[in-house]
Amino acid sequence: MGGLWKRSKLQVPVVEGLRPTSDRVRETLFNWLGQDLTGLRCVDAFAGTGALGLEAASRGAVEVCCIEANAGLALGLRRNAERLGASQLRVVTGDALERMAQLPAGLWDVVFLDPPFAQAQAHDAGQGLFGQALSQAVRLLAPQGFVYLEAPHAWSAEALSHWGLELWRHGKAGAVHYHLLQRAAAS
């Protein structure tokens, strides 16, 4: 982790299928975002370990809402936040799509999406988990905000246009494609 809690190790419960964002990918993402997130509001949907949300808090985000369905992971995330003194981080347990729907629209500067890859459908036009997550993220997004998306495949400009998003940056690490998205200029 970078920022205020640089070199802090997260205590993570063992959960089958958990796929934390790698250190290398996180470093690239926060380089893209400009390192300093002072004053920004972030949502870490499908939070898992909460590494993205905690990293955002460590880099100055004023509010971070982490959403995790697995109660054990949510408890681990709360414990890590408490241990680090991350008072700006709030952990919400429940279905990410349902909880995102309850958050205020247009307020969030960065929405992190890392849905379970097992539920991925290639460019699902809004019907599958990834499409529904992108729909919710766009609703939450502040005008100049970013959506970060991890997926098992690259998302094309054509597919992203369905949500009024455009690809700002893309990378690949192993089987993971990671994308930084913004609203399309015409939106």
Side-chain angles (χ1 to χ4, degrees), residues 54-111:
L54 284 164
E55 182 98 18
S58 182
R59 294 174 184 272
V62 69
E63 182 179 0
V64 180
C65 177
C66 293
I67 305 168
E68 176 51 48
N70 181 296
L73 286 172
L75 178 61
L77 180 47
R78 283 184 187 97
R79 287 179 177 158
N80 280 321
E82 184 177 304
R83 183 176 56 84
L84 295 169
S87 60
Q88 71 275 52
L89 191 130
R90 177 173 49 110
V91 180
V92 177
T93 306
D95 178 81
L97 297 176
E98 290 174 11
R99 297 300 187 167
M100 289 170 74
Q102 296 169 355
L103 293 174
L107 180 70
W108 306 91
D109 301 294
V110 184
V111 178

Side-chain angles (χ1 to χ4, degrees), residues 57-174:
S58 182
R59 294 174 184 272
V62 69
E63 182 179 0
V64 180
C65 177
C66 293
I67 305 168
E68 176 51 48
N70 181 296
L73 286 172
L75 178 61
L77 180 47
R78 283 184 187 97
R79 287 179 177 158
N80 280 321
E82 184 177 304
R83 183 176 56 84
L84 295 169
S87 60
Q88 71 275 52
L89 191 130
R90 177 173 49 110
V91 180
V92 177
T93 306
D95 178 81
L97 297 176
E98 290 174 11
R99 297 300 187 167
M100 289 170 74
Q102 296 169 355
L103 293 174
L107 180 70
W108 306 91
D109 301 294
V110 184
V111 178
F112 302 105
L113 297 176
D114 186 4
F117 281 14
Q119 297 179 36
Q121 297 175 11
H123 315 307
D124 57 24
Q127 302 307 307
L129 178 62
F130 279 66
Q132 291 175 48
L134 283 168
S135 293
Q136 285 295 335
V138 168
R139 187 188 71 76
L140 296 175
L141 206 57
Q144 301 302 313
F146 291 96
V147 174
Y148 170 75
L149 174 66
E150 281 190 27
H153 55 268
W155 282 69
S156 69
E158 181 181 340
L160 292 168
S161 70
H162 176 81
W163 293 276
L165 293 168
E166 62 186 13
L167 182 64
W168 197 66
R169 298 277 192 272
H170 171 262
K172 184 176 186 296

